[in-house]
Amino acid sequence: MNTILNMKDIVKTYRMGDEEQRVLNEINFNVEQGEFVTILGPSGSGKSTLMNIIGCLDVPTSGNYDLNGNDVAHMDEETLSEVRNREIGFIFQQFQLLPRLSALDNVELPLIYAGVSEKERKQRAKAMLEKVGLGTKLKNKPNQLSGGQQQRVAIARALITQPTILLADEPTGALDQKTGVQIMELFQELHAEGKTIVMITHDEKIARHGSRIVKILDGTLTEYRQEDEQHG
Amino acid sequence: MDTMFKESVKMSWQNIIHNKMRSFLTILGVLIGVTAIIALISIVQGVTDNITGEVMKMGANKITVQIAGTPLKQGLTQTDINEIAQIENLKGVSPTVSGQTSIVYNGEVMEEVAVQGNNDVHFANSDELLETGRPITIVDVESKNRVCLIGQDVVKELFPAESPINKEIIINGVTHTIIGTLQKSSGFSASSPDQSVVVPYTTAMSLIGTGYVPALDIYVEDEALAPETTAEVESALLTAFNYNEDGFRIVNMQNILDTVEQMTGTMSMLLAGIAAISLVVGGIGIMNMMLVTVTERTTEIGLRKALGAKPGTIQLQFVLEALFLSLFGGILGLICGIFISFVGTMAIGVEFTLVGYSIPLALGFSAVIGLAFGYAPAKKASRLNPIDALRSV
Ligand SMILES: Nc1ncnc2c1ncn2[C@@H]1O[C@H](COP(=O)(O)OP(=O)(O)OP(=O)(O)O)[C@@H](O)[C@H]1O
Ligand SMILES: [Mg+2]
């Protein structure tokens, strides 16, 4: 198997006045191609901080991070933008669609920053929306779509650049249970197609949809083992 | 990069369109500033052209000499005039003698009529003098002929129903034959020729009872040599007045033109300065609006960055937005300014001229304002941290 994400001794500290708070504590984390990994942890454990570093929105205080051959821990903002565009497909809890744009235009966005021509953008965005089951809602604005449909648009947007990793932070957090399960089924379909997914959640039931679970507690990462389940 | 620029243009434009009312209020400052600049430039230019035109009509090739006289000598004698007429590069010298008297025709009296003495040169150098009949000739001057031309008010008053030509009128008690009539005045010259009679200047001198000529119009052949000719005229006059500089005054049309242009130039600069201040105020309005926009769209900016927008791309988008706002204000201001100057020049009664450089000036100015005042908000947007931005929901 092919390791596409490799984190070694990642530390993130925040400085609050005189105090230094270590939010991520020497994290070692690998993801192989085609894995569906879920990161499970309670509130305040450092999940979002980790996700920001995985997603190249932030750089670690120390440690090494290699994403598909990019030495991300030591990049400037300009290059990080390119890496995000090329390697990462974000899926957020609050969908983060632009309210003034149609579903199609929202899905096109990452391709604009990749410098793809308008004609090709339209074609690819349309195909991607059809794939997530929204072929009839291309022109709808986000406020003309249900929550589940909005999250599907966001997933289409994340997939459009064919990124190395799909990175989802609580993707079902804003949805009711039934819709949440449907979104998880879509994730599993994508996983079956061979997509690499990293999902962050505090909900153990949701976490079980993944092929591998890692737990995070107070900034420390541990592999999920059978006995954890029995204790919990 | 090309795709990105096109998309940035589109995004900026969509945002402006989305907030129509707010965008309009924002550009109002620039709009008013540009309107003021265009209107002021056009109106000042119109007035300047008008004044210059009037002065030119009086003749840039004309040197006017006004004689104040000295206690010993109240004016120029015929000998002095003959002396000046010898100077090179002259088309001719036209002495002017003026007075006021009453005239009588057929028992009807007209009071307070200006009597002006001129010669053939005076008529030869202006085709806007003679209406009907013939002008004064050199023979009339040399033989002190009792002939005259009359202005339009005099025609209306004394000859309402008949032709005045060859009729005899009494000027200051002496009978004169009317040889012609004068054109109606354009209304801009200081002394109206409508209420006057023109006689040979030699005749006027004996009518008024003076041996001196109080004013000369000297016509120059080659305008380029006017300064040299003026100097020679001055030296001849100094000789005539025994080197007393207070005896006379030389008025050169070119000097008047220079003064007029200097005055209007200073005025334009002053007005343009005021207009520029209003443009800066407009720019601050745009900056304010852009800062609000950036704050409002923090999440959007964060998301765009997460999806791969570079700081430069975000900055470009917001700078373009400010530029479009400002340019749009500039274009509307240009239209309003042209309209106002059209109405304004019409109201003052001068000709409307669209000054060529005012269009690039207005557009250039508003573009610079947009770029200058859009830069800081755009920079702020480009520096937003995507993590903070996305969390702000
Ligand atoms: N910018 C920051 N400055 C200082 N402290 C921060 C900052 N961001 C996060 N933290 C701290 O780091 C810790 C982990 O935060 P994080 O957002 O990663 O938690 P989380 O696991 O995502 O929680 P939740 O499930 O509630 O979203 C918290 O104690 C938080 O206060
Ligand atoms: Mg979180």
Side-chain angles (χ1 to χ4, degrees):
Chain A
M1 276 224 270
N2 184 9
T3 304
I4 53 174
L5 185 155
N6 180 282
M7 281 187 160
K8 204 164 164 17
D9 300 331
I10 291 289
V11 172
K12 183 74 184 178
T13 52
Y14 286 113
R15 195 168 251 296
M16 303 284 279
D18 296 341
E19 259 179 78
E20 230 176 45
Q21 194 194 353
R22 200 173 245 223
V23 179
L24 296 181
N25 188 18
E26 292 179 10
I27 293 213
N28 290 293
F29 181 47
N30 291 322
V31 176
E32 308 294 327
Q33 178 149 31
E35 269 193 304
F36 181 0
V37 184
T38 56
I39 300 173
L40 178 65
S43 182
S45 56
K47 298 189 297 292
S48 294
T49 308
L50 180 58
M51 142 123 178
N52 289 337
I53 293 176
I54 295 174
C56 306
L57 292 168
D58 203 357
V59 287
T61 312
S62 70
N64 284 314
Y65 175 21
D66 181 289
L67 175 64
N68 202 23
N70 302 292
D71 179 11
V72 182
H74 308 102
M75 277 180 175
D76 62 14
E77 217 191 317
E78 194 87 4
T79 329
L80 279 176
S81 304
E82 282 170 25
V83 172
R84 283 200 293 270
N85 185 254
R86 200 171 54 229
E87 313 285 357
I88 310 282
F90 285 99
I91 297 159
F92 303 94
Q93 181 173 357
Q94 300 295 339
F95 323 136
Q96 304 288 14
L97 301 175
L98 293 187
R100 290 213 300 265
L101 301 186
S102 67
L104 194 70
D105 290 342
N106 265 295
V107 175
E108 265 185 61
L109 270 180
L111 292 181
I112 290 177
Y113 298 117
V116 176
S117 78
E118 179 163 7
K119 193 163 161 250
E120 191 188 331
R121 286 201 312 257
K122 290 262 182 280
Q123 271 171 5
R124 280 167 66 176
K126 189 162 170 274
M128 200 53 79
L129 278 167
E130 277 161 4
K131 183 183 159 80
V132 298
L134 289 175
T136 58
K137 308 276 182 189
L138 303 179
K139 293 279 162 234
N140 287 42
K141 300 268 170 69
N143 64 5
Q144 297 162 330
L145 293 168
S146 74
Q149 287 169 336
Q150 289 184 52
Q151 194 59 300
R152 282 169 192 272
V153 173
I155 292 167
R157 182 180 64 193
L159 290 168
I160 193 81
T161 51
Q162 295 178 302
T164 312
I165 292 186
L166 276 186
L167 190 54
D169 189 2
E170 304 273 10
T172 59
L175 301 172
D176 62 46
Q177 210 196 341
K178 193 165 144 260
T179 322
V181 169
Q182 286 170 356
I183 292 294
M184 277 307 106
E185 281 165 3
L186 179 55
F187 269 54
Q188 280 174 328
E189 277 173 43
L190 294 171
H191 173 52
E193 280 175 27
K195 295 268 182 314
T196 312
I197 304 172
V198 174
M199 181 174 75
I200 285 163
T201 183
H202 69 276
D203 184 339
E204 199 159 337
K205 272 205 235 78
I206 294 292
R208 288 221 183 84
H209 288 91
S211 59
R212 175 162 70 104
I213 302 176
V214 291
K215 282 191 130 181
I216 184 167
L217 194 64
D218 292 332
T220 308
L221 205 67
T222 47
E223 288 291 326
Y224 186 91
R225 292 187 305 270
Q226 212 54 34
E227 41 290 17
D228 290 329
E229 204 169 351
Q230 278 149 12
H231 286 284
Chain B
M1 187 58 223
D2 222 24
T3 324
M4 209 96 79
F5 187 79
K6 213 175 98 191
E7 287 307 316
S8 296
V9 169
K10 209 162 100 187
M11 285 179 216
S12 324
W13 187 248
Q14 279 167 347
N15 191 53
I16 292 171
I17 291 299
H18 183 80
N19 292 309
K20 280 189 203 70
M21 188 63 190
R22 196 165 78 176
S23 300
F24 176 72
L25 290 175
T26 304
I27 65 174
L28 215 51
V30 172
L31 194 157
I32 292 170
V34 169
T35 301
I37 288 186
I38 297 297
L40 291 174
I41 290 178
S42 299
I43 291 175
V44 167
Q45 188 65 44
V47 171
T48 310
D49 286 353
N50 189 274
I51 296 173
T52 311
E54 286 300 325
V55 173
M56 284 305 254
K57 222 188 278 173
M58 290 181 223
N61 63 340
K62 189 163 89 171
I63 303 167
T64 300
V65 178
Q66 282 160 4
I67 310 297
T70 60
L72 292 175
K73 193 173 176 185
Q74 284 113 47
L76 290 171
T77 62
Q78 190 59 52
T79 326
D80 297 331
I81 293 169
N82 292 343
E83 203 66 48
I84 290 170
Q86 299 302 312
I87 293 173
E88 264 178 63
N89 188 33
L90 290 192
K91 249 198 256 178
V93 177
S94 164
T96 307
V97 180
S98 30
Q100 212 179 41
T101 183
S102 58
I103 57 177
V104 186
Y105 172 70
N106 231 356
E108 204 167 325
V109 184
M110 199 174 166
E111 302 279 2
E112 286 180 14
V113 178
V115 178
Q116 190 174 308
N118 284 119
N119 65 358
D120 54 310
V121 175
H122 179 67
F123 284 91
N125 279 288
S126 174
D127 47 9
E128 290 186 6
L129 284 176
L130 192 67
E131 175 80 27
T132 58
R134 67 166 180 87
I136 289 167
T137 63
I138 197 153
V139 180
D140 292 330
V141 173
E142 279 169 3
S143 353
K144 295 191 189 180
N145 282 344
R146 299 194 188 289
V147 292
C148 68
L149 294 98
I150 59 176
Q152 288 304 318
D153 285 358
V154 180
V155 173
K156 219 184 288 168
E157 179 107 15
L158 299 181
F159 302 93
E162 52 183 323
S163 164
I165 308 286
N166 291 330
K167 299 284 169 5
E168 296 195 326
I169 57 170
I170 298 161
I171 304 172
N172 207 17
V174 183
T175 305
H176 288 69
T177 307
I178 299 172
I179 56 170
T181 58
L182 301 169
Q183 281 184 21
K184 190 153 180 58
S185 71
S186 62
F188 259 100
S189 11
S191 58
S192 166
D194 295 339
Q195 181 121 354
S196 71
V197 296
V198 173
V199 298
Y201 77 93
T202 45
T203 314
M205 282 163 84
S206 35
L207 267 178
I208 296 164
T210 174
Y212 296 111
V213 170
L216 287 182
D217 284 339
I218 301 169
Y219 295 92
V220 175
E221 190 79 57
D222 182 358
E223 274 178 48
L225 293 174
E228 288 86 340
T229 311
T230 308
E232 283 186 57
V233 168
E234 187 171 7
S235 96
L237 287 167
L238 279 173
T239 317
F241 286 101
N242 210 7
Y243 300 96
N244 185 341
E245 283 178 13
D246 299 332
F248 59 91
R249 203 163 70 87
I250 296 177
V251 185
N252 184 331
M253 287 303 158
Q254 195 54 51
N255 294 345
I256 296 180
L257 275 185
D258 290 348
T259 313
V260 167
E261 255 154 44
Q262 214 175 357
M263 265 168 52
T264 51
T266 312
M267 192 144 90
S268 317
M269 291 294 274
L270 212 91
L271 295 175
I274 294 170
I277 291 172
S278 71
L279 265 184
V280 169
V281 173
I284 293 171
I286 287 182
M287 185 157 159
N288 187 33
M289 149 91 167
M290 291 309 296
L291 285 172
V292 170
T293 305
V294 169
T295 309
E296 273 180 357
R297 286 152 76 193
T298 303
T299 321
E300 177 189 330
I301 296 163
L303 174 74
R304 286 180 186 276
K305 282 189 146 186
L307 298 182
K310 292 178 186 174
T313 313
I314 298 287
Q315 193 176 349
L316 178 69
Q317 188 189 330
F318 283 91
V319 164
L320 281 177
E321 201 169 312
L323 180 68
F324 287 155
L325 279 173
S326 190
L327 265 183
F328 203 57
I331 291 169
L332 287 183
L334 189 64
I335 295 169
C336 289
I338 291 174
F339 179 75
I340 288 181
S341 42
F342 188 75
V343 173
T345 46
M346 210 139 82
I348 307 175
V350 302
E351 203 181 324
F352 167 74
T353 38
L354 179 60
V355 182
Y357 67 82
S358 62
I359 294 173
L361 185 82
L363 298 185
F365 235 127
S366 40
V368 167
I369 289 283
L371 291 176
F373 287 92
Y375 181 81
K379 193 82 202 165
K380 186 184 165 193
S382 77
R383 282 203 182 126
L384 279 180
N385 182 345
I387 302 167
D388 299 337
L390 285 171
R391 218 193 341 246
S392 76
V393 187

